Amino acid sequence: MPAAHRETRPESIDATSMRRAGAELLSLALMDARNHALHLLSHFEPVALPDAPPPRTQAQSPLWLAGNIGWLAEYWIGRNPQRALGPACPAETVRLPSIEPMADSWFDPALVAPGERWGLPLPGYEAIRAYLLQTLESTLELLEKAPDTDAALYFYRVALFHEDLRCEQLVALAQALDVPLKLPLPGGVAARDPVLVPAGQWLLGSPPGGFSFDVERPAHEIPVPEFEIDAQPLAWSQYVEFVQDGGYDRVELWHPQGWAWLTQEAAREGRRGPRYVEQIGGAGGAVLATQFGRPARMAGRQSVLHVTWWEADAWARWAGRRLPTEVEWEMAAHVAHRRGFRWGDVREWTATTLRPWPGFVADRWSRHTDLEAQPLFGLAKVQRGASFAARARMKHPKFRGFAPPERDDAFVGFRTCSL
């Protein structure tokens, strides 16, 4: 069975092959990403933020997330005389001063713990916008002079995909804070039969060349037995059946740690459905949920959103199925897309616990973010795919997301495999 095809240079800033983009497209994509970040930030400005972050979310305010976008690009590009070394650039190299004297003390994740970021005395929206525009201008000026090599373009690609990740976090934060963001949910699709994928060898992860996240490397071959996998993520109509059958009351369906989580959540908020759901089941099997501060009726064919790994695992047990491993998901996304395997509306939980692959080397830049994987090795579960909140270029079948099993603030669903 063939491994993933080699990507060529992209023709559009929306292409997943932007991971190999040259300077011209990178320049356009960086401007596009910054415009999107500024657009999202503008929706928070009229909102009175609470004194504390929403529960069970990443404890960062919209101002901090936006400021960190500009800070990372400036730290690794504008202030970094050794930027042309790319991945070989030392993490602790001497840096030039920031255009904002307080930038490090405000936006360096190594200096500001997650729990301190929400209440940090940051400048207002106008100052953050100015910082974002100034750092973008500096980035683009340096990009014009950069050689057309993977090493020289490395940090510009890092800046682009880091910004796209932060923007996805801003969308999730808008959902948590009831910010009226006009981002329509993807429509549902008619159910299709599961897809049978024959056994074969699969090259799991991202091969050398271009940009990839450290948890996607090194690519390595894995033998994969034949498996059957759902053609699309689970729909609300399927999840309602689980709820109506007492799924949230049957301890035998839950992993012991999942049952402990559910017991705690039920005592706190009477949880009997995914996050943000106001009503599920009942007459007609209706699902009513809050979406960006507005009540919305979920269509039966739409993908389930905001489930924890514990809920996904319990549904699979109830249905006599299982969550796919990440190699099964990746293989199916490549070889079965012409046979109905559909993804890209929601991130998807897998059965795989996040661990480093043999030969793993952490990216130096990730140590200066709160996006690094190492603290969650052995604890988080791997997510695959991409949500409607992600930019199109982020929807890469090799992308390896992750989160603790109790997290439900992102736009996450799941699909299952036969036993």
Side-chain angles (χ1 to χ4, degrees), residues 44-323:
F44 290 90
E45 192 165 1
V47 177
L49 297 180
D51 294 334
R56 307 184 309 285
T57 61
Q58 291 178 327
Q60 284 126 196
S61 73
L63 286 170
W64 191 91
L65 286 171
N68 177 255
I69 288 171
W71 176 85
L72 184 125
E74 186 190 30
Y75 189 81
W76 286 104
I77 300 172
R79 299 169 57 189
N80 181 13
Q82 299 192 65
R83 57 186 168 271
L85 295 177
C89 178
E92 305 306 326
T93 185
V94 175
R95 282 180 166 76
L96 303 173
S98 171
I99 59 175
E100 167 50 64
M102 294 292 292
D104 289 342
S105 58
W106 284 337
F107 303 125
D108 185 348
L111 301 179
V112 188
E116 301 172 358
R117 295 171 194 164
W118 191 269
L120 202 64
L122 297 175
Y125 286 89
E126 185 175 351
I128 295 295
R129 278 193 293 269
Y131 180 61
L132 287 173
L133 291 172
Q134 288 176 296
T135 52
L136 175 64
E137 182 179 5
S138 170
T139 297
L140 296 179
E141 287 177 355
L142 292 168
L143 178 57
E144 288 182 358
K145 306 168 188 175
D148 189 22
T149 64
D150 276 347
L153 296 177
Y154 175 74
F155 285 116
Y156 299 94
R157 294 168 179 165
V158 166
L160 173 64
F161 291 108
H162 171 260
E163 186 156 359
D164 284 344
L165 282 174
R166 289 302 195 196
C167 284
E168 192 172 351
Q169 287 181 301
L170 282 169
V171 177
L173 186 59
Q175 168 72 321
L177 293 173
D178 291 334
V179 174
L181 193 63
K182 294 181 179 178
L183 188 65
L185 298 181
V189 294
R192 302 191 63 164
D193 291 335
V195 177
L196 184 66
V197 179
Q201 290 285 125
W202 185 254
L203 185 67
L204 179 64
S206 294
F211 172 81
S212 58
F213 293 94
D214 55 12
V215 289
E216 301 169 10
R217 305 188 302 264
H220 54 293
E221 283 201 351
I222 293 182
V224 185
E226 179 183 85
F227 62 96
E228 179 196 85
I229 188 168
D230 292 335
Q232 60 260 334
L234 194 83
W236 280 114
S237 60
Q238 296 169 284
Y239 201 85
V240 166
E241 295 178 14
F242 167 72
V243 175
Q244 292 181 325
D245 196 39
Y248 280 81
D249 298 302
R250 295 169 56 181
V251 63
E252 73 273 13
L253 298 177
W254 295 77
H255 186 286
Q257 292 179 353
W259 185 253
W261 166 84
L262 177 60
T263 301
Q264 182 182 44
E265 290 296 301
R268 180 165 57 186
E269 59 179 32
R271 185 162 178 141
R272 284 296 182 270
R275 189 171 186 170
Y276 306 121
V277 167
E278 303 296 332
Q279 177 187 332
I280 186 166
V287 178
L288 298 177
T290 301
Q291 292 295 324
F292 304 113
R294 300 183 298 271
R297 185 185 181 95
M298 301 292 105
R301 291 180 176 180
Q302 286 179 297
S303 298
V304 171
L305 286 171
H306 299 298
V307 290
T308 64
W309 189 90
W310 304 124
E311 289 165 303
D313 179 63
W315 190 96
R317 292 169 189 248
W318 169 80
R321 295 176 68 81
R322 63 176 177 83
L323 297 177

Side-chain angles (χ1 to χ4, degrees), residues 325-336:
T325 63
E326 67 167 318
V327 67
E328 289 172 332
W329 192 99
E330 183 180 306
M331 187 175 182
H334 282 87
V335 307

